[in-house]
Amino acid sequence: MNIKSFLRATSACALTVTLAQNVAAEEAADPTIIVTGRAASDEAEERATKTPGGTDIVSHEDYADKTIVSLRDTLAFSPGVYTQPRFGQEVRISIRGSGLSRGFHMRGLTLLQDGIPINLADDNGDFQELEPIFFDHLEVYRGANALRFGSGSLGGAINGVTPTGDNAKGLYLRGDVGSFNFDRGLASYGAGDENANVWAAISADSHDGDRQHARRDSIRFNGNVGLRISDVISTRFYGGATTLDQELPGALNAANALNVPRTGNFVGDQARDINSIRIQNRTRFDWGQSRLDVGAFLNAKELYHPIFQVVDQVSTDRGVFARYDREGEGWSLTLGGESRWGTIDAKRFVNVNGKRGALTFDADQTARTSNIYGEIRFSPVAQLTLVAGGIYADGFRKQAQIVPTAVTASASFNAFSPKVGLLWEPTSDVKFFANYSKSAEFPTFVELAQIAAFVPVKAQTAWTGEIGTRGKAGWASWDVAFYRASVTREMLQFTVGPDIPASTFNADKTRHQGVEAAFSAEPTDWLRFRQIWQYSDFRFVNDAQYGNNRLPVVPKHVLRSEVRIGSDDLHIAPNLEWVPQGAWADYRNTTRTSSYTLLGISGGARVLDGVDLFVDARNLTNEKAIGDVSAAILATPASVIYYPVERRAIYGGIRARF
């Protein structure tokens, strides 16, 4: 029996024992979720409300009844976050058009777990390493509002926060099964108090996917240990490990995406297999009105990635960080800095049915990304807070190519991004905000290393203005932000061919503007409504080649709605996703995808104290539509750049805590 089978068998046995013994949960009145208290997410929400810009906190309760396949399932109702599944855990993720044309991996966002970056030292990222089923909550800071995470990108930052032993005590078990041979087991355990605590979780899943050649298998571990050394000093060590094997079904032409979405690509046995280990420490010195966090981290990853060739990389990234917060009478201050540096042993081979053939490329890549940042908040009167700050970032990339020829290339970048803003609170429940900021994004090896001597891709910068409001009135609450970003040298990509990664170019001037809106209402204890609307107007500005054409990939409007009827004892929640007009597929604006509407329903029931059942049904009408595209210069229906929406699927499971 392998590790995965053992984990599933153990989880199943434990659940059976739980049901047989009818063990009462420690807090039976609450939904059976991974955490037993909301202290951490409440603190995060308090910090978010003091930010003069777009932020929100997504708690585990918000998606407990969902089968969590990808980040899309956790962030579907986070305003302004565009998450579009491509297949399995592969999802396009973009905020305010960040990295919108990157058809693989991720750019323009800082992804963190427990405040530590997942991004590599060159800022490239694999979001598949974040496992949302482990999280207590997610913190979403859009645009320059992510300064507190050391992020100066157009999109901002998303931080997944895992539980600790003092707020997730006891044993928690979860099992999911469903369509396309999906099954997952999760077991976590927490113990201790504020002086010493430990939390650990392990999960394993297997899924054939809703398309051919889309099978995924993974095993993941996450844990942390916290110690209070004195009244002032506390420390926490984190550890995580991931083994992920993912077949890639690839893109389709429009006809196959719409008529036979099950179709997958078997050519070259394309895949993305990841083995990674993350170790980190955060130590806090708390003197009451001031606080200092310092820490370090080490991320080691192996990537085996058969595509047009076999990409074989071994990377090691290290980093240190520090953040100082000071609270005064009517003012507060934040100062911080971070440095990440890493190496990649990058090789490529001829793809022989997914196996290594002849060596075609061998290079040593080194990268560094560092920043220092600061922000001061001042309240001249009780209801008004003024904010000023900035971040200085420095980056270095070097590639020493050995095969096929010896060539060395390097590039350096630096930028200062200032920010000003204000927060007005006419009442304790209503806030208005505005800010104006600059962002900067440096090219990664994906953009630079298209040829041995580096392509002269320049850093992308933008000035963004934002106004908005959030608050609540009675049983209704809202979060609305309007933004407009004037982008210079936006890094855009286009598909060269069905098996060749996209090429990158700098546009001259582009504009990203839109609306990020969320509304929720809970008129009674048994009825809750929530809805998000994204309006995205991304386009060239007087471009010599493309004029004022719209940028491809992201549709103009996206609406998601959900109505939850019932209580924790028994509830159902119908949901809807509506894209009234599809996105452009190309920069010339000749081909647009069609509109679509997806209907789903989730629900849950408490069968025993400490034991809940849940169900999650998706695309109930089995709608056939194109959900995502890889940007092209000129697209036609025959272009192999289209990804179908998820086919009809039904998942269900059980959660238990004791």
Side-chain angles (χ1 to χ4, degrees):
M1 177 181 291
N2 59 29
I3 295 175
K4 187 179 295 186
S5 299
F6 174 77
L7 173 66
R8 290 177 184 145
T10 302
S11 298
C13 291
L15 284 170
T16 302
V17 171
T18 304
L19 288 168
Q21 294 180 342
N22 188 16
V23 179
E26 184 176 349
E27 297 187 28
D30 294 329
T32 306
I33 57 176
I34 197 167
V35 291
T36 56
R38 283 185 49 89
S41 57
D42 285 345
E43 290 178 8
E45 288 177 0
E46 184 178 353
R47 287 193 300 268
T49 60
K50 295 179 180 179
T51 302
T55 65
D56 72 293
I57 306 301
V58 181
S59 73
H60 193 91
E61 294 170 289
D62 293 330
Y63 54 86
D65 289 336
K66 298 288 186 182
T67 288
I68 305 165
V69 177
S70 69
L71 279 171
R72 159 65 180 273
D73 300 310
T74 60
L75 297 172
F77 285 90
S78 181
V81 182
Y82 181 75
T83 51
Q84 188 58 48
R86 311 185 94 186
F87 49 84
Q89 289 188 318
E90 181 77 11
V91 60
R92 182 186 296 279
I93 180 167
S94 176
I95 298 177
R96 299 181 178 177
S98 61
L100 86 169
S101 64
R102 175 70 85 84
F104 50 91
H105 302 286
M106 181 204 70
R107 181 176 54 76
L109 278 174
T110 301
L111 286 187
L112 311 99
Q113 181 166 322
D114 297 307
I116 309 299
I118 295 296
N119 303 52
L120 300 179
D122 71 338
D123 255 351
N124 196 28
D126 282 314
F127 48 81
Q128 294 91 345
E129 290 189 76
L130 285 180
E131 175 53 281
I133 199 171
F134 289 143
F135 295 155
D136 172 28
H137 63 276
L138 295 99
E139 302 172 304
V140 181
Y141 283 72
R142 305 189 292 275
N145 305 298
L147 181 73
R148 67 181 302 270
F149 292 110
S151 172
S153 64
L154 175 66
I158 298 173
N159 181 36
V161 181
T162 54
T164 57
D166 54 340
N167 68 13
K169 294 181 179 180
L171 180 62
Y172 172 77
L173 300 171
R174 173 173 171 147
D176 298 47
V177 296
S179 300
F180 316 117
N181 294 319
F182 175 79
D183 60 88
R184 170 192 273 143
L186 165 71
S188 73
Y189 182 78
D193 55 26
E194 61 180 7
N195 294 316
N197 56 77
V198 60
W199 179 84
I202 188 168
S203 75
D205 80 283
S206 179
H207 194 193
D208 285 348
D210 67 328
R211 294 179 57 195
Q212 297 169 331
H213 200 261
R215 182 176 176 82
R216 182 187 76 253
D217 295 281
S218 72
I219 301 176
R220 305 172 190 263
F221 167 81
N222 255 278
N224 60 77
V225 176
L227 298 171
R228 179 173 292 279
I229 299 172
S230 70
D231 292 340
V232 172
I233 305 173
S234 60
T235 190
R236 187 169 298 275
F237 293 89
Y238 299 86
T242 295
T243 295
L244 171 64
D245 297 334
Q246 168 75 69
E247 295 177 340
L248 306 181
L252 303 173
N253 62 38
N256 285 338
L258 292 171
N259 299 314
V260 282
R262 180 173 176 269
T263 303
N265 178 17
F266 291 87
V267 177
D269 195 17
Q270 297 191 16
R272 183 189 294 117
D273 300 337
I274 296 173
N275 291 300
S276 67
I277 295 175
R278 296 193 304 273
I279 302 171
Q280 57 206 48
N281 171 264
R282 178 187 299 273
T283 299
R284 172 167 295 176
F285 301 82
D286 193 337
W287 297 283
Q289 289 187 317
S290 62
R291 186 175 67 192
L292 174 66
D293 288 330
V294 297
F297 56 90
L298 172 67
N299 300 337
K301 183 169 74 172
E302 298 176 352
L303 172 66
Y304 186 78
H305 193 13
I307 44 175
F308 74 109
Q309 294 184 359
V310 174
V311 177
D312 191 351
Q313 296 183 349
V314 178
S315 61
T316 304
D317 291 274
R318 311 160 187 84
V320 293
F321 62 91
R323 175 187 168 94
Y324 176 75
D325 290 284
R326 171 78 178 182
E327 296 283 344
E329 186 66 33
W331 64 274
S332 60
L333 173 72
T334 295
L335 297 172
E338 172 192 289
S339 184
R340 285 174 281 147
W341 59 96
T343 59
I344 303 174
D345 179 10
K347 292 182 173 66
R348 291 202 303 266
F349 301 84
V350 173
N351 184 349
V352 183
N353 295 322
K355 306 298 182 182
R356 300 179 186 90
L359 179 68
T360 62
F361 176 83
D362 187 0
D364 294 326
Q365 298 173 337
T366 58
R368 185 193 70 249
T369 300
S370 304
N371 63 64
I372 55 174
Y373 57 91
E375 182 180 270
I376 186 167
R377 298 165 291 274
F378 173 64
S379 298
V381 294
Q383 290 86 13
L384 180 66
T385 302
L386 306 177
V387 177
I391 179 169
Y392 174 80
D394 172 83
F396 176 75
R397 321 283 188 248
K398 181 179 179 180
Q399 176 173 280
Q401 179 180 291
I402 304 167
V403 176
T405 57
V407 180
T408 299
S410 63
S412 298
F413 309 92
N414 64 83
F416 175 67
S417 302
K419 168 189 174 181
V420 293
L422 62 87
L423 180 68
W424 178 47
E425 304 175 75
T427 71
S428 59
D429 291 331
V430 178
K431 295 175 173 60
F432 295 90
F433 54 81
N435 65 70
Y436 189 62
S437 63
K438 183 183 178 183
S439 62
E441 297 175 20
F442 303 150
T444 73
F445 284 117
V446 170
E447 287 78 35
L448 292 170
Q450 300 175 62
I451 60 176
F454 277 7
V455 175
V457 177
K458 299 179 180 179
Q460 168 186 315
T461 61
W463 285 96
T464 303
E466 177 185 5
I467 59 172
T469 177
R470 57 175 169 261
K472 58 182 179 180
W475 42 262
S477 60
W478 67 90
D479 186 339
V480 182
F482 304 81
Y483 67 91
R484 178 168 177 161
S486 297
V487 188
T488 302
R489 299 184 301 272
E490 180 170 3
M491 289 180 280
L492 296 174
Q493 293 178 305
F494 61 94
T495 297
V496 178
D499 298 323
I500 303 174
S503 294
T504 305
F505 66 96
N506 285 116
D508 185 13
K509 295 181 179 179
T510 54
R511 181 189 305 127
H512 293 210
Q513 60 185 1
V515 180
E516 305 161 334
F519 174 78
S520 63
E522 194 168 354
T524 70
D525 292 339
W526 54 268
L527 180 63
R528 184 189 71 185
F529 170 77
R530 59 176 177 167
Q531 178 173 273
I532 63 113
W533 169 55
Q534 295 179 38
Y535 169 72
S536 303
D537 179 13
F538 307 150
R539 61 174 68 237
F540 293 100
V541 178
N542 298 324
D543 188 82
Q545 185 172 1
Y546 302 111
N548 294 312
N549 284 2
R550 291 187 181 277
L551 297 176
V553 176
V554 177
K556 193 173 182 179
H557 299 276
V558 177
L559 178 76
R560 296 193 184 102
S561 300
E562 180 184 78
V563 179
R564 185 181 189 270
I565 304 169
S567 65
D568 291 335
D569 291 332
L570 179 64
H571 60 270
I572 60 170
N575 58 75
L576 170 149
E577 177 180 321
W578 181 40
V579 175
Q581 185 180 57
W584 289 110
D586 57 2
Y587 294 103
R588 293 185 181 176
N589 287 182
T590 64
T591 304
R592 189 198 293 271
T593 62
S594 59
S595 62
Y596 64 84
T597 302
L598 302 180
L599 301 176
I601 189 169
S602 63
R606 176 160 297 154
V607 293
L608 296 168
D609 285 343
V611 180
D612 287 351
L613 299 176
F614 60 91
V615 65
D616 179 12
R618 308 178 181 192
N619 195 3
L620 294 173
T621 62
N622 205 24
E623 174 97 346
K624 292 182 174 64
I626 293 171
D628 192 43
V629 297
S630 294
I633 297 294
L634 176 64
T636 70
S639 300
V640 184
I641 58 173
Y642 304 100
Y643 294 86
V645 298
E646 184 181 16
R647 295 161 57 205
R648 180 167 52 207
I650 300 176
Y651 305 101
I654 186 170
R655 302 188 301 266
R657 175 176 291 283
F658 59 96

